[in-house]
Amino acid sequence: MACLSDESWVALPKMLSDGLSLPEDDRRDDDDDDDYQAGFFRSESTAYRLEKVFPVYALGIPKPESDPVGLASVSGDPIWDAVREEAKLEAEKEPILSSFLYASILAHDCLEQALGFVLANRLQNPTLLATQLMDIFYDVMLHDRDIQRSVRLDVQAFKDRDPACLSYCSALLYLKGYHSLQVHRVAHSLWNQGRKVLALALQSRVSEVFGVDIHPAAKIGEGILLDHGTGVVIGETAVVGNRVSLMHGVTLGGTGKGIGDRHPKVGDGALIGASVTVLGNIKIGRGAMIAAGSLVLKDVPPHSMVAGIPAKVIGYVDEIDPSLTMKHDATKDFFENVAVRCRDTRPAGGQSSRRSDGST
């Protein structure tokens, strides 16, 4: 895997003018990295040159100490290689973004570092500094193999399932659904470590900045797509399986002030449409599809299609994981069959049945 060495920072202006390609001659031996890095970052003249090229937020990027878990996991990383190549091409096409792309992606050694930098700069505020957030993200992600795997499977899910996602690079830099999901993974790890106040602080910032509210205790699988992300709410005891796709406005909530296990459990491969509300400790079966705008109050069978308020089963899907196909609509023949069945079951004369109290 191609990584930027510390000496590459010195050649920064030249790299930008040369299309951000890193010459082989600029690479250093690993044994010299620590001594050279210390000398480099003490150089006031170098810092001044960096400040002339990059925005202020890009300065002082903390470079975490070598970590065997993190570095071993990204060796020969095809996702990271693709992100870097895409960033270089984008910098050539849009030179005005060269500083942004270098600071966000090309200045880093692995996907976790780049992701941590992007998230920190999006979530920072005057009392929660970007450098503090970067330390938090680096410390968690570089020591957690499960998160390292999940951030890659998630970005692959966005690239494969969201037609508006142009590249891995664009998902990493711009898509708040992806950002929200990765911050949740860090917050969930902190929550499990007993650092609940910090986890809740991250949840609060994500809710403020991205409009996505996921409780740190919620358990979310890998290969997840939060398409758009806006308005997604996931409660404390919710569980979301692998390869699930959730559209904007989805709520996985409780039914009141009850305590204990009170939120939905979503099976692998489920597809949940826009503005769906699922309430209570109910099960959404594997491979189920819930139509947009539905209100789900009871269990949904595996591979079924449900719709309505309250939601009812209107058919079954053939795909094992409808979340991967992202087909939210059924065929014309399917709806014609549903209409025929509804017509055949209506009372004679087309009058709806009424109870003695006059209601239908």
Side-chain angles (χ1 to χ4, degrees), residues 78-79 82-83 86 152 155-157 159-160 165-173 178:
I79 296 289
V83 168
E86 291 166 354
R152 287 164 174 79
V155 77
Q156 187 69 56
K159 178 67 167 56
D160 290 344
C165 181
L166 301 177
S167 62
Y168 298 106
C169 181
S170 64
L172 176 64
L173 292 174
Y178 180 72

Side-chain angles (χ1 to χ4, degrees), residues 154-302:
D154 291 342
V155 77
Q156 187 69 56
F158 277 78
K159 178 67 167 56
D160 290 344
R161 299 180 219 164
D162 183 358
C165 181
L166 301 177
S167 62
Y168 298 106
C169 181
S170 64
L172 176 64
L173 292 174
Y174 310 124
L175 298 188
K176 65 180 181 179
Y178 180 72
H179 295 161
S180 303
L181 190 56
Q182 306 323 312
V183 178
H184 166 74
R185 297 196 185 284
V186 172
H188 183 70
S189 177
L190 294 170
W191 182 272
N192 290 337
Q193 294 172 27
R195 304 174 70 183
K196 296 185 177 182
V197 174
L198 180 54
L200 291 171
L202 292 180
Q203 175 198 4
S204 176
R205 285 300 294 154
V206 168
S207 179
E208 293 174 30
V209 176
F210 301 134
V212 176
D213 196 351
I214 306 175
H215 194 282
K219 299 177 182 179
I220 298 181
E222 55 193 18
I224 304 298
L225 171 64
L226 293 186
D227 197 357
H228 296 288
T230 304
V232 169
V233 176
I234 300 179
E236 179 181 6
T237 61
V239 177
V240 177
N242 300 323
R243 303 179 306 283
V244 172
S245 294
L246 299 94
M247 306 301 290
H248 57 278
V250 169
T251 296
L252 304 180
T255 57
K257 296 180 65 177
I259 60 175
D261 195 358
R262 61 194 184 279
H263 294 103
K265 312 297 182 283
V266 180
D268 295 349
L271 173 58
I272 304 182
S275 300
V276 166
T277 299
V278 187
L279 300 179
N281 184 15
I282 60 177
K283 295 181 179 179
I284 308 300
R286 172 173 181 157
M289 186 174 80
I290 304 177
S294 298
L295 171 62
V296 184
L297 300 174
K298 59 183 181 180
D299 291 353
V300 174

Side-chain angles (χ1 to χ4, degrees), residues 314-315 332-344:
I314 62 172
K332 179 180 178 181
D333 291 341
F334 173 81
F335 282 113
E336 287 179 346
N337 290 332
V338 171
V340 169
R341 288 200 300 270
C342 290
R343 182 193 62 195
D344 293 343

Side-chain angles (χ1 to χ4, degrees), residues 319-331:
E319 295 89 354
I320 295 177
D321 292 335
S323 61
L324 304 184
T325 63
M326 295 296 288
K327 292 181 179 178
H328 296 268
D329 58 336
T331 63

